Amino acid sequence: MNRRNTETVHAVADNLFLELGITDLQGLLKEGENIACGIECYQLSHGEIFSLDVNREEIDRYNFCKSLEAPYYVIASSPSSRKFQIFTIADEEDKFELIETLNETSFLAWWKQKQSFTQKKGMYEAQARIKDSYIDKLLFSNDLAWGVNIDGFKLDNAGNLLYIIEKRITGRDVTQYDPNRFFRGTQNKSGDYPSWKILKDLADRLEIPLLLATFDKTSQIVGLTRIMEVSARDGLSYSNEIYLFSNTQQIQTEISRLITI
């Protein structure tokens, strides 16, 4: 059972998010301003049965969607049977329960009810990581788009959202890296304004900060700042320059400072 995941495997970023209790959400489906649902997808091997524990991360995803007044679904896709099982977390929050099983035609209709627009932005780096994904092949072959990816979000012990954090990994030296320089894109790659705008609007809707964490391919250094504004004309506005850290406690202290600005 493989989880659909477009994230780059990065030991420093992955371990940091784990230590800080930051959870990701692979998909948030929306139609206009309406948030339809949050989703995760697991692809089953031939004859495999869906089996997933309701752990802390799943409860976090459930509560994140609940904050948006949207349901949270886990989709089990089976290429061998060409079926999709839709699960939700039971009211007791201790197990997943199956709510419906759909064939390809019914599943596409289910998806279109929640998000009907087509894929506009190229997947670029993520393309290789979803090349064997049954659900992606079916959606893209029917001109449908995947949902908004949330790199990370943090809740407190009471289940209240504290912040959303966007993770950017560069092949350059992180000490010289600023995502703002690539905001408008290049001749071969579209710009980042739409994806940043969605995240900032989401954070504003939830009345929580949007943070930025930058990493490179080789060092232990992490860059941190807070996104204050996202402008099609002016790009990203930060609370301060991207400060650099290599110690988890320092990073936690900086995040605590950034979210109170």
Side-chain angles (χ1 to χ4, degrees):
M1 188 170 78
N2 294 319
R3 178 183 177 233
R4 181 201 184 273
N5 189 355
T6 59
E7 299 303 312
T8 301
V9 175
H10 189 282
V12 173
D14 295 346
N15 289 334
L16 177 65
F17 278 31
L18 183 63
E19 286 183 50
L20 298 180
I22 295 171
T23 307
D24 73 321
L25 178 68
Q26 277 293 298
L28 196 64
L29 303 191
K30 62 194 296 288
E31 189 73 22
E33 297 303 313
N34 179 56
I35 304 295
C37 62
I39 55 168
E40 290 285 328
C41 182
Y42 290 82
Q43 185 164 309
L44 307 178
S45 302
H46 180 72
E48 188 176 15
I49 297 173
F50 175 80
S51 176
L52 184 67
D53 292 330
V54 179
N55 56 22
R56 179 197 63 80
E57 290 183 326
E58 294 301 324
I59 293 296
D60 283 354
R61 292 175 182 129
Y62 173 85
N63 284 328
F64 179 82
C65 295
K66 189 176 181 179
S67 296
L68 291 164
E69 298 181 341
Y72 170 58
Y73 299 119
V74 173
I75 302 168
S77 68
S78 174
S80 59
S81 67
R82 302 172 73 175
K83 296 287 181 63
F84 295 84
Q85 294 175 298
I86 314 296
F87 292 86
T88 189
I89 293 179
D91 291 339
E92 297 80 9
E93 297 187 1
D94 61 351
K95 64 179 180 179
F96 284 99
E97 59 182 14
L98 177 65
I99 56 175
E100 53 187 330
T101 300
L102 306 172
N103 61 24
E104 289 183 348
T105 301
S106 298
F107 177 71
L108 290 170
W110 181 89
W111 190 280
K112 287 179 182 178
Q113 286 180 340
K114 292 164 177 52
Q115 181 172 278
S116 63
F117 64 81
T118 58
Q119 183 73 31
K120 295 182 176 66
K121 183 178 178 181
M123 299 296 285
Y124 304 116
E125 295 88 353
Q127 191 65 52
R129 295 188 289 277
I130 57 172
K131 64 182 178 65
D132 296 321
S133 170
Y134 169 47
I135 190 171
D136 284 285
K137 289 178 181 178
L138 180 65
L139 292 173
F140 292 165
S141 65
N142 286 274
D143 298 321
L144 291 172
W146 186 259
V148 178
N149 173 255
I150 309 297
D151 285 349
F153 61 89
K154 171 72 175 179
L155 295 94
D156 64 18
N157 292 332
N160 301 307
L161 277 167
L162 296 176
Y163 57 83
I164 293 173
I165 187 163
E166 174 73 354
K167 173 178 61 180
R168 291 296 169 104
I169 301 170
T170 179
R172 305 164 185 255
D173 183 343
V174 72
T175 63
Q176 305 298 317
Y177 176 59
D178 180 355
N180 216 9
R181 296 175 187 168
F182 309 97
F183 186 80
R184 292 174 180 81
T186 65
Q187 184 177 358
N188 300 316
K189 186 174 180 180
S190 61
D192 285 345
Y193 171 71
S195 55
W196 277 115
K197 183 69 165 58
I198 288 172
L199 289 174
K200 188 62 171 69
D201 287 349
L202 186 63
D204 289 347
R205 175 174 176 168
L206 291 165
E207 299 182 335
I208 57 173
L210 173 60
L211 306 184
L212 165 66
T214 60
F215 305 84
D216 66 25
K217 297 291 180 70
T218 59
S219 76
Q220 301 291 312
I221 298 173
V222 180
L224 286 171
T225 192
R226 176 172 171 173
I227 307 297
M228 304 305 289
E229 299 291 341
V230 177
S231 166
R233 185 189 68 180
D234 301 322
L236 302 172
S237 298
Y238 304 145
S239 60
N240 48 257
E241 64 180 278
I242 301 175
Y243 295 149
L244 302 171
F245 304 89
S246 58
N247 175 278
T248 302
Q249 184 56 54
Q250 292 174 341
I251 292 169
Q252 179 62 76
T253 299
E254 176 64 5
I255 288 176
S256 297
R257 184 188 74 82
L258 287 171
I259 64 177
T260 58
I261 292 174

